Amino acid sequence: MKASRIAAVTAVAGTAVLAVSSPAFAHVSVQPEGTAAKGGYAVIDFKVPNERDNASTTKLEVNFPADHPLASVMPQPMAGWKVEVTKSKLAKPLEMHGEKIDEAVTKVTWTAEDKGIEPGYFQKFPLSVGALPEDTDELVFKAIQTYSNKEVVRWIEVQQKGQEEPENPAPALALSAATDDHHGTTTAEDTAAKTETTASDESDSSSGGSDTTARVLGVVGIVVGAAGVAYGVLAGRRRSTGSEA
Protein backbone atom coordinates (compact mmCIF):
# COMPACT_ATOMS: atom_id res chain seq x y z
CA MET A 1 0.00 0.00 0.00
CA LYS A 2 2.82 2.37 0.96
CA ALA A 3 4.73 1.52 -2.22
CA SER A 4 1.72 2.32 -4.41
CA ARG A 5 1.26 5.70 -2.69
CA ILE A 6 4.94 6.55 -3.21
CA ALA A 7 4.64 5.61 -6.88
CA ALA A 8 1.54 7.81 -7.30
CA VAL A 9 3.22 10.79 -5.61
CA THR A 10 6.31 10.32 -7.77
CA ALA A 11 4.21 10.28 -10.93
CA VAL A 12 2.39 13.48 -9.96
CA ALA A 13 5.68 15.18 -9.08
CA GLY A 14 7.17 14.13 -12.42
CA THR A 15 4.20 15.56 -14.30
CA ALA A 16 4.53 18.85 -12.42
CA VAL A 17 8.21 19.08 -13.29
CA LEU A 18 7.45 18.50 -16.97
CA ALA A 19 4.73 21.14 -16.88
CA VAL A 20 7.03 23.71 -15.29
CA SER A 21 10.01 22.96 -17.51
CA SER A 22 7.97 22.96 -20.74
CA PRO A 23 8.79 26.13 -22.73
CA ALA A 24 6.00 28.67 -23.11
CA PHE A 25 4.54 28.97 -26.58
CA ALA A 26 5.83 32.15 -28.24
CA HIS A 27 4.87 33.77 -31.50
CA VAL A 28 5.55 36.84 -33.62
CA SER A 29 3.90 39.88 -32.02
CA VAL A 30 3.78 43.67 -32.45
CA GLN A 31 3.85 46.40 -29.80
CA PRO A 32 4.22 50.20 -29.97
CA GLU A 33 7.08 52.09 -28.38
CA GLY A 34 4.88 54.23 -26.15
CA THR A 35 1.40 54.61 -27.62
CA ALA A 36 -0.18 54.09 -31.02
CA ALA A 37 -2.92 56.72 -31.15
CA LYS A 38 -5.56 56.84 -33.86
CA GLY A 39 -4.75 59.40 -36.53
CA GLY A 40 -1.16 59.77 -35.34
CA TYR A 41 2.26 58.30 -35.94
CA ALA A 42 4.07 55.65 -33.91
CA VAL A 43 7.16 53.47 -33.77
CA ILE A 44 6.15 49.82 -33.59
CA ASP A 45 8.31 46.76 -32.92
CA PHE A 46 7.74 43.30 -34.37
CA LYS A 47 9.12 40.86 -31.81
CA VAL A 48 10.32 37.61 -33.37
CA PRO A 49 11.41 34.72 -31.11
CA ASN A 50 13.32 31.71 -32.41
CA GLU A 51 11.30 28.63 -31.44
CA ARG A 52 13.70 26.07 -32.89
CA ASP A 53 16.79 24.61 -31.25
CA ASN A 54 18.45 23.47 -34.48
CA ALA A 55 17.86 26.40 -36.89
CA SER A 56 18.05 30.19 -37.04
CA THR A 57 15.42 32.64 -38.25
CA THR A 58 16.78 34.13 -41.45
CA LYS A 59 13.80 35.99 -42.88
CA LEU A 60 10.70 37.88 -41.76
CA GLU A 61 7.92 39.14 -44.03
CA VAL A 62 5.26 41.46 -42.62
CA ASN A 63 2.18 42.12 -44.75
CA PHE A 64 0.23 45.32 -44.13
CA PRO A 65 -3.58 45.44 -43.93
CA ALA A 66 -5.13 46.34 -47.29
CA ASP A 67 -8.33 47.67 -45.67
CA HIS A 68 -6.36 50.27 -43.67
CA PRO A 69 -3.34 51.27 -45.80
CA LEU A 70 -0.53 53.31 -44.26
CA ALA A 71 1.00 56.04 -46.41
CA SER A 72 4.20 56.37 -44.38
CA VAL A 73 6.29 53.34 -43.36
CA MET A 74 9.98 53.77 -42.56
CA PRO A 75 12.21 50.93 -41.31
CA GLN A 76 15.15 51.49 -38.98
CA PRO A 77 18.53 50.25 -40.28
CA MET A 78 19.61 47.04 -38.54
CA ALA A 79 23.10 45.56 -38.58
CA GLY A 80 23.14 42.11 -40.17
CA TRP A 81 19.78 42.52 -41.91
CA LYS A 82 18.72 43.73 -45.36
CA VAL A 83 15.32 45.40 -45.48
CA GLU A 84 13.02 45.75 -48.49
CA VAL A 85 9.88 47.89 -48.57
CA THR A 86 7.22 46.93 -51.13
CA LYS A 87 4.63 49.47 -52.27
CA SER A 88 1.47 49.00 -54.34
CA LYS A 89 -1.06 51.24 -56.05
CA LEU A 90 -4.18 52.04 -54.06
CA ALA A 91 -7.65 51.56 -55.47
CA LYS A 92 -8.72 54.60 -53.42
CA PRO A 93 -6.07 57.34 -52.91
CA LEU A 94 -5.33 58.58 -49.38
CA GLU A 95 -5.06 62.21 -48.33
CA MET A 96 -2.02 63.09 -46.22
CA HIS A 97 -1.01 66.64 -45.19
CA GLY A 98 -3.27 68.04 -47.92
CA GLU A 99 -1.80 65.82 -50.63
CA LYS A 100 -3.29 62.74 -52.29
CA ILE A 101 -1.29 59.52 -51.95
CA ASP A 102 -1.99 56.88 -54.62
CA GLU A 103 0.31 54.15 -53.24
CA ALA A 104 1.07 52.61 -49.87
CA VAL A 105 3.37 50.04 -48.31
CA THR A 106 1.96 46.53 -48.58
CA LYS A 107 4.93 44.51 -47.28
CA VAL A 108 8.24 44.87 -45.45
CA THR A 109 10.80 42.06 -45.68
CA TRP A 110 13.91 41.57 -43.54
CA THR A 111 16.54 39.09 -44.75
CA ALA A 112 19.52 38.06 -42.62
CA GLU A 113 22.94 38.82 -44.06
CA ASP A 114 24.70 36.98 -41.24
CA LYS A 115 23.50 34.34 -38.74
CA GLY A 116 20.01 35.75 -38.21
CA ILE A 117 18.17 35.00 -34.97
CA GLU A 118 19.92 32.02 -33.41
CA PRO A 119 18.25 29.45 -31.13
CA GLY A 120 17.47 30.82 -27.68
CA TYR A 121 17.24 34.46 -28.86
CA PHE A 122 14.69 36.94 -30.17
CA GLN A 123 14.92 40.07 -32.32
CA LYS A 124 12.89 43.28 -32.56
CA PHE A 125 12.21 44.81 -35.98
CA PRO A 126 11.19 48.50 -35.61
CA LEU A 127 9.10 50.56 -38.03
CA SER A 128 7.89 54.15 -37.97
CA VAL A 129 4.32 54.15 -39.31
CA GLY A 130 1.45 56.57 -39.91
CA ALA A 131 -0.92 58.07 -40.16
CA LEU A 132 -2.77 55.42 -38.18
CA PRO A 133 -6.46 54.94 -39.09
CA GLU A 134 -9.19 56.49 -36.98
CA ASP A 135 -11.99 54.07 -37.87
CA THR A 136 -10.64 50.88 -36.25
CA ASP A 137 -9.36 49.74 -32.86
CA GLU A 138 -6.56 47.52 -34.17
CA LEU A 139 -4.40 46.70 -37.16
CA VAL A 140 -3.64 43.09 -38.07
CA PHE A 141 -0.34 42.27 -39.78
CA LYS A 142 0.14 38.82 -41.28
CA ALA A 143 3.74 37.66 -40.85
CA ILE A 144 5.83 34.86 -42.35
CA GLN A 145 8.88 33.54 -40.51
CA THR A 146 11.53 31.53 -42.38
CA TYR A 147 14.22 29.38 -40.76
CA SER A 148 17.67 28.41 -42.02
CA ASN A 149 16.49 24.82 -42.58
CA LYS A 150 13.87 26.17 -45.06
CA GLU A 151 11.00 25.72 -42.61
CA VAL A 152 8.30 28.39 -42.98
CA VAL A 153 5.87 29.39 -40.21
CA ARG A 154 2.88 31.51 -41.25
CA TRP A 155 1.56 33.78 -38.50
CA ILE A 156 -1.61 34.68 -40.39
CA GLU A 157 -4.59 33.48 -38.34
CA VAL A 158 -6.81 36.34 -37.17
CA GLN A 159 -7.98 36.20 -33.56
CA GLN A 160 -11.78 35.99 -33.35
CA LYS A 161 -13.64 37.55 -30.42
CA GLY A 162 -14.80 35.06 -27.83
CA GLN A 163 -12.66 32.25 -29.21
CA GLU A 164 -9.39 30.70 -28.10
CA GLU A 165 -6.15 32.00 -29.52
CA PRO A 166 -5.33 30.26 -32.81
CA GLU A 167 -2.21 28.16 -33.19
CA ASN A 168 -0.50 30.69 -35.46
CA PRO A 169 -2.02 34.10 -34.58
CA ALA A 170 -1.27 37.13 -36.73
CA PRO A 171 0.37 40.08 -34.93
CA ALA A 172 -2.27 42.65 -33.92
CA LEU A 173 -1.58 46.26 -32.96
CA ALA A 174 -4.09 47.85 -30.56
CA LEU A 175 -4.82 51.52 -31.26
CA SER A 176 -5.57 54.03 -28.51
CA ALA A 177 -7.80 57.10 -28.74
CA ALA A 178 -6.37 60.31 -30.21
CA THR A 179 -4.84 62.42 -27.43
CA ASP A 180 -5.01 65.97 -28.85
CA ASP A 181 -5.73 68.08 -31.93
CA HIS A 182 -2.58 66.77 -33.60
CA HIS A 183 -3.63 63.15 -32.93
CA GLY A 184 -0.60 62.54 -30.77
CA THR A 185 1.96 63.93 -33.22
CA THR A 186 4.52 66.66 -32.60
CA THR A 187 5.21 69.08 -35.44
CA ALA A 188 8.15 71.43 -35.98
CA GLU A 189 5.83 74.38 -35.24
CA ASP A 190 4.85 72.81 -31.91
CA THR A 191 8.50 72.37 -30.96
CA ALA A 192 9.38 75.96 -31.94
CA ALA A 193 6.41 77.37 -30.01
CA LYS A 194 7.33 75.33 -26.95
CA THR A 195 10.95 76.50 -27.13
CA GLU A 196 9.85 80.15 -27.48
CA THR A 197 7.47 79.85 -24.52
CA THR A 198 10.16 78.25 -22.38
CA ALA A 199 12.67 80.97 -23.28
CA SER A 200 10.09 83.65 -22.48
CA ASP A 201 9.32 82.04 -19.12
CA GLU A 202 13.02 81.85 -18.30
CA SER A 203 13.45 85.52 -19.31
CA ASP A 204 10.51 86.58 -17.14
CA SER A 205 11.87 84.54 -14.27
CA SER A 206 15.33 86.10 -14.67
CA SER A 207 13.83 89.59 -14.87
CA GLY A 208 11.72 88.94 -11.79
CA GLY A 209 14.79 87.74 -9.94
CA SER A 210 16.73 90.88 -10.92
CA ASP A 211 13.87 93.13 -9.73
CA THR A 212 13.70 91.32 -6.40
CA THR A 213 17.46 91.61 -5.90
CA ALA A 214 17.37 95.35 -6.66
CA ARG A 215 14.58 95.87 -4.15
CA VAL A 216 16.41 93.97 -1.43
CA LEU A 217 19.61 95.95 -2.03
CA GLY A 218 17.60 99.19 -1.94
CA VAL A 219 16.06 98.31 1.42
CA VAL A 220 19.46 97.32 2.80
CA GLY A 221 20.88 100.65 1.62
CA ILE A 222 18.11 102.57 3.33
CA VAL A 223 18.62 100.66 6.59
CA VAL A 224 22.38 101.21 6.49
CA GLY A 225 21.88 104.90 5.73
CA ALA A 226 19.43 105.30 8.59
CA ALA A 227 21.81 103.55 10.93
CA GLY A 228 24.59 105.91 9.84
CA VAL A 229 22.43 108.97 10.51
CA ALA A 230 21.41 107.67 13.92
CA TYR A 231 25.01 106.96 14.79
CA GLY A 232 26.00 110.49 13.73
CA VAL A 233 23.25 112.05 15.91
CA LEU A 234 24.28 110.01 18.96
CA ALA A 235 27.93 110.87 18.43
CA GLY A 236 27.06 114.56 18.21
CA ARG A 237 25.10 114.44 21.45
CA ARG A 238 27.98 112.72 23.24
CA ARG A 239 30.44 115.38 22.08
CA SER A 240 28.04 118.12 23.16
CA THR A 241 27.60 116.55 26.60
CA GLY A 242 31.34 116.21 27.02
CA SER A 243 31.94 119.92 26.20
CA GLU A 244 29.41 121.10 28.76
CA ALA A 245 31.11 119.02 31.42
Side-chain angles (χ1 to χ4, degrees), residues 59-180:
K59 188 177 182 180
L60 174 69
E61 298 175 62
V62 174
N63 294 279
F64 283 68
D67 55 342
H68 293 100
L70 300 176
S72 176
V73 177
M74 293 185 292
Q76 178 178 316
M78 295 175 57
W81 292 87
K82 181 182 71 174
V83 60
E84 180 182 359
V85 178
T86 303
K87 294 183 178 181
S88 300
K89 290 287 184 179
L90 296 174
K92 183 180 179 181
L94 298 174
E95 187 170 336
M96 182 177 176
H97 302 305
E99 297 182 3
K100 288 189 176 181
I101 308 297
D102 60 357
E103 66 176 11
V105 173
T106 52
K107 183 171 68 173
V108 177
T109 304
W110 290 268
T111 305
E113 296 180 316
D114 197 2
K115 297 179 181 179
I117 309 172
E118 298 184 84
Y121 292 88
F122 74 91
Q123 179 77 53
K124 287 184 178 180
F125 297 84
L127 290 174
S128 174
V129 299
L132 298 172
E134 300 183 63
D135 57 350
T136 184
D137 294 327
E138 71 172 12
L139 291 177
V140 177
F141 303 85
K142 296 183 178 182
I144 300 175
Q145 182 179 12
T146 303
Y147 287 90
S148 57
N149 60 2
K150 308 303 180 183
E151 179 186 1
V152 176
V153 181
R154 302 178 183 276
W155 305 98
I156 61 174
E157 299 178 66
V158 180
Q159 174 71 55
Q160 302 298 327
K161 291 183 179 181
Q163 297 185 12
E164 294 183 358
E165 184 180 63
E167 184 177 353
N168 296 97
L173 176 68
L175 303 180
S176 60
T179 55
D180 51 37

